[in-house]
Amino acid sequence: MTIDPMQTSPLPRLALGPLLYHWPRERVLDFYAEMIETPVDVIYLGETICSKRRLLRPEDYWELGERVIAAGKQAVISTLALIESDGELKTLRRICSEERFLIEANDLAALEFLEGRPFVAGPSINLYNQRTLAFLAARGLKRWVLPVELGRQTAADLLAVRADGVECELFAFGRLPLAYSARCFTAYNRNLAKDDCQFCCLDYPDGLLVATQDGEPFLALNGIQTQSAGTHNLLPMLDDLTRLGVDLLRISPQSEGTGDVIEVFSACLAGRMDRTAGLSRLRDLAPSGLCDGYWTGHAGIAHTHLGERVR
């Protein structure tokens, strides 16, 4: 099934979300060199999880951003989702002062430094209702990423009242960012203090998988961030997302196959690939199965298109 070419809503564009994991510097640089060649329209750059991950500096992300722009794509610089120190505030101020790029605010502290400039509200901003959407739009909101725990009905309600020029982006593929904590659970798993973590998250390029007592994948630990074990996937909903007027679909980086995921979404949107074949391919690329429950109003672990739980 392909999208009706006669429909009035434009097709959603593709965005590559910020890298949520801690990878070696050269691996990150090689990854973005590859991603620049893929059919995404927007690439998010920057550290959103832990300020101790300093293998790339703000200047490195700005240099990458210039390369993204030179390739004809939009570069967005993402900020930390949890601000815990004066040093992190100073870095946030510095990032927000860089006017060459649109900024994704993942903590509302960024708004104080952006001073009314256009910005993106990331998925960790609690944008749950029309009043919040209007509040942020009055302060320069250009685009918001729907919080991942919200579903289709909330998205439809917000899209119906958004201001002109404000875009909606959905987290369409990747392990869901569910929660943030001052404690680093990856370090805790190694019996290490957060201040002496030894950067052990480098050993888990897709996060540390946590299983139930029955051995079923349950969560993934990524430093201070808790993720779903299952990979969120909205590919089967492309027609509905287009009708709703969703502007961008976010694909979250993973250690293997991100370029293949982007190609599947691009091909299905353009009608070059059958949706069933695309879904089969994505199942092979998901480390611990697929899920979509929040979007459809069911248990988050569910994958309603297949009528199953993550296994």
Side-chain angles (χ1 to χ4, degrees):
M1 180 177 175
T2 58
I3 295 174
D4 182 357
M6 298 303 292
Q7 63 193 353
T8 57
S9 299
L11 294 175
R13 309 190 310 279
L14 295 179
L16 179 71
L19 175 61
L20 302 181
Y21 307 108
H22 193 30
W23 296 350
R25 175 185 172 86
E26 289 306 315
R27 183 172 186 176
V28 174
L29 297 177
D30 289 345
F31 173 78
Y32 282 115
E34 177 188 352
M35 292 302 103
I36 287 173
E37 301 301 322
T38 66
V40 293
D41 299 282
V42 180
I43 295 181
Y44 290 80
L45 303 161
E47 179 58 50
T48 66
I49 307 301
C50 179
S51 61
K52 293 184 69 177
R53 300 176 177 180
R54 303 190 190 99
L55 295 180
L56 272 76
R57 305 164 301 160
E59 291 86 353
D60 295 315
Y61 288 116
W62 296 336
E63 182 179 343
L64 284 171
E66 294 288 2
R67 291 169 57 190
V68 169
I69 292 172
K73 306 175 188 296
Q74 183 185 46
V76 183
I77 305 298
S78 299
T79 65
L80 282 177
L82 182 61
I83 305 294
E84 299 185 78
S85 70
D86 289 341
E88 290 172 353
L89 273 175
K90 290 177 181 177
T91 300
L92 178 64
R93 180 192 294 273
R94 184 168 174 239
I95 291 171
C96 291
S97 68
E98 178 52 67
E99 298 188 5
R100 286 177 292 174
F101 308 105
L102 190 64
I103 302 297
E104 180 187 56
N106 285 298
D107 185 292
L108 285 179
L111 271 63
E112 296 297 320
F113 303 137
L114 289 169
E115 300 178 341
R117 285 169 43 209
F119 69 95
V120 178
S124 57
I125 299 293
N126 294 336
L127 203 166
Y128 289 165
N129 53 51
Q130 293 93 332
R131 288 185 64 186
T132 305
L133 182 60
F135 174 86
L136 293 177
R139 284 154 180 79
L141 181 70
K142 171 68 175 175
R143 178 186 306 149
W144 89 96
V145 186
L146 190 77
V148 299
E149 66 272 23
L150 301 182
R152 182 195 184 281
Q153 188 55 57
T154 303
D157 292 343
L158 292 174
L159 282 163
V161 299
R162 61 173 165 173
D164 291 342
V166 175
E167 297 178 324
C168 177
E169 181 173 330
L170 291 184
F171 195 101
F173 190 90
R175 280 183 164 158
L176 294 169
L178 299 176
Y180 300 86
S181 170
R183 169 174 286 184
C184 176
F185 293 109
T186 308
Y188 184 74
N189 177 69
R190 295 276 189 93
N191 294 317
L192 296 170
K194 182 180 179 182
D195 291 340
D196 185 30
C197 66
Q198 300 176 25
F199 301 101
C200 56
C201 49
L202 280 168
D203 295 334
Y204 306 103
D206 288 302
L208 171 61
L209 189 64
V210 177
T212 66
Q213 290 184 338
D214 296 325
E216 292 193 20
F218 177 47
L219 297 171
L221 304 180
N222 176 37
I224 68 165
Q225 183 188 63
T226 303
Q227 301 177 316
S228 63
T231 298
H232 184 61
N233 171 43
L234 293 184
L235 182 77
M237 294 80 169
L238 288 184
D239 291 338
D240 188 41
L241 300 179
T242 302
R243 285 190 293 267
L244 283 174
V246 172
D247 299 284
L248 292 107
L249 301 177
R250 173 172 293 200
I251 294 169
S252 190
Q254 57 185 38
S255 63
E256 302 293 340
T258 304
D260 293 332
V261 172
I262 292 169
E263 181 53 39
V264 168
F265 271 83
S266 176
C268 287
L269 280 168
R272 301 192 309 271
M273 179 181 289
D274 177 76
R275 202 74 49 80
T276 301
L279 179 59
S280 177
R281 178 65 178 132
L282 292 183
R283 293 189 73 183
D284 293 338
L285 294 168
S288 302
L290 300 174
C291 64
D292 63 12
Y294 285 130
W295 178 254
T296 58
H298 294 79
I301 200 171
H303 193 211
T304 57
H305 184 72
L306 300 177
E308 64 180 22
R309 295 179 63 198
V310 174
R311 300 192 184 281

